[in-house]
Amino acid sequence: MIHNFKLIKKTNLTHNIYEMIFKWDNELKMKPWQFITFLLDKIWGRAYSILFLDWKEIVLIIKKREKKEWGRWWSKFICELSIWDTLKWVWPAWSFLLQENNKNKLFIWTGTGFVPLYNQIIYSLWTNQKTDIKLLFWSREQKDLFYIKELKKLKEKYKNFDFELFLSRSNVEWIKKWYTTDFLNESNCNLFEEFYICWAPTMIDSSIIKLEKLWISKNNIFYEKY
């Protein structure tokens, strides 16, 4: 069934990444791995993972791309919406599943790949505070980082949650240099039983190769390629 969402708030998180809050007239229900599909004129359906849901509202994080850029240029249309503009959507779908168990989990992300992982992490923290959870966030430069205050609040509230930041093109005293894959060594990976990755295809493939060299079973690696 096709419905309408109304944009009620839009916030710049970086120069080209937006937090966008949409509202529907009825109560929304979801699972912590679902995404919504917008029906865009002349572009057809385009899916976006859900960051957070609050009764009749959903929060999305979308990166704006210009038509001259590679891939996903239709996000420009969504990011340039004005407050109270509406979009048609269908609900819901999923493929990137969170395993609901007591296993310690490591999440790896860059850019808007953060969205489904954040949703899964929030759900895990709410439902199971005995499971150790860690998030690795890689970006090229400090200006591309976002939601750091929110992650710090989670770390303060939940003793079983931690996160680390990585930059490959900037030197910042409190942030680690290079890539999240540098974290994937035997001593670190032995602390976790499941691995969730949302990243570009080549980065995901390189992470999986590194994990498999550490004898991590494919059955414990879950990913979604952006």
Side-chain angles (χ1 to χ4, degrees):
M1 184 177 294
I2 298 175
H3 307 282
N4 287 316
F5 258 139
K6 183 181 295 183
L7 178 64
I8 62 171
K9 186 177 180 181
K10 180 170 67 173
T11 305
N12 276 87
L13 299 179
T14 72
H15 71 287
N16 64 350
I17 293 179
Y18 295 80
E19 179 190 76
M20 307 186 75
I21 302 178
F22 290 87
K23 187 174 183 179
W24 189 37
D25 291 334
N26 298 318
E27 182 180 1
L28 296 163
K29 295 182 180 181
M30 62 163 288
K31 295 182 179 180
W33 47 74
Q34 293 183 314
F35 58 84
I36 184 174
T37 299
F38 285 125
L39 303 178
L40 308 177
D41 292 341
K42 300 180 181 179
I43 304 175
W44 306 109
R46 292 296 179 261
Y48 287 93
S49 296
I50 300 160
L51 179 80
F52 190 74
L53 181 147
D54 184 12
W55 196 36
K56 296 182 179 182
E57 299 175 2
I58 63 165
V59 182
L60 307 178
I61 291 181
I62 300 177
K63 183 176 182 179
K64 179 181 176 181
R65 295 183 183 271
E66 303 294 334
K67 285 190 175 182
K68 63 182 179 180
E69 294 185 73
W70 175 84
R72 299 188 179 91
W73 56 266
W74 54 83
S75 62
K76 172 182 172 68
F77 170 77
I78 299 175
C79 291
E80 290 182 351
L81 290 173
S82 299
I83 301 301
W84 310 125
D85 283 346
T86 60
L87 284 178
K88 291 182 172 60
W89 62 279
V90 292
W91 179 280
W94 63 90
S95 58
F96 184 38
L97 303 182
L98 173 71
Q99 306 302 301
E100 299 186 59
N101 53 42
N102 296 322
K103 294 182 178 180
N104 294 339
K105 296 171 171 55
L106 179 68
F107 294 82
I108 306 172
W109 119 78
T110 185
T112 51
F114 165 76
V115 177
L117 299 186
Y118 185 82
N119 197 317
Q120 293 174 351
I121 288 169
I122 291 292
Y123 181 82
S124 296
L125 293 173
W126 283 351
T127 58
N128 189 349
Q129 297 185 32
K130 294 182 179 180
T131 298
D132 288 335
I133 296 171
K134 186 157 189 169
L135 173 67
L136 308 181
F137 179 10
W138 168 81
S139 192
R140 291 184 176 87
E141 301 179 55
Q142 187 176 3
K143 66 181 180 65
D144 299 316
L145 298 173
F146 59 90
Y147 253 62
I148 306 305
K149 289 182 180 179
E150 288 78 3
L151 292 174
K152 288 181 177 179
K153 289 179 181 178
L154 285 182
K155 184 174 180 178
E156 290 175 0
K157 184 175 181 179
Y158 297 99
K159 301 305 180 184
N160 58 323
F161 173 72
D162 195 10
F163 71 96
E164 289 190 28
L165 307 176
F166 295 79
L167 297 175
S168 57
R169 293 184 183 177
S170 299
N171 287 305
V172 180
E173 184 177 353
W174 55 280
I175 300 177
K176 293 191 175 182
K177 181 72 176 189
W178 301 120
Y179 299 96
T180 56
T181 48
D182 296 327
F183 180 90
L184 302 180
N185 56 47
E186 184 174 4
S187 59
N188 288 332
C189 289
N190 282 342
L191 301 174
F192 304 95
E193 299 159 277
E194 292 182 345
F195 301 80
Y196 295 78
I197 314 170
C198 196
W199 214 345
T202 54
M203 296 298 187
I204 286 180
D205 292 340
S206 63
S207 297
I208 291 175
I209 290 171
K210 196 160 188 180
L211 289 171
E212 289 181 339
K213 287 182 178 179
L214 296 172
W215 301 101
I216 304 297
S217 169
K218 281 187 176 181
N219 294 330
N220 293 322
I221 303 173
F222 308 92
Y223 60 88
E224 183 166 77
K225 295 183 177 182
Y226 258 52

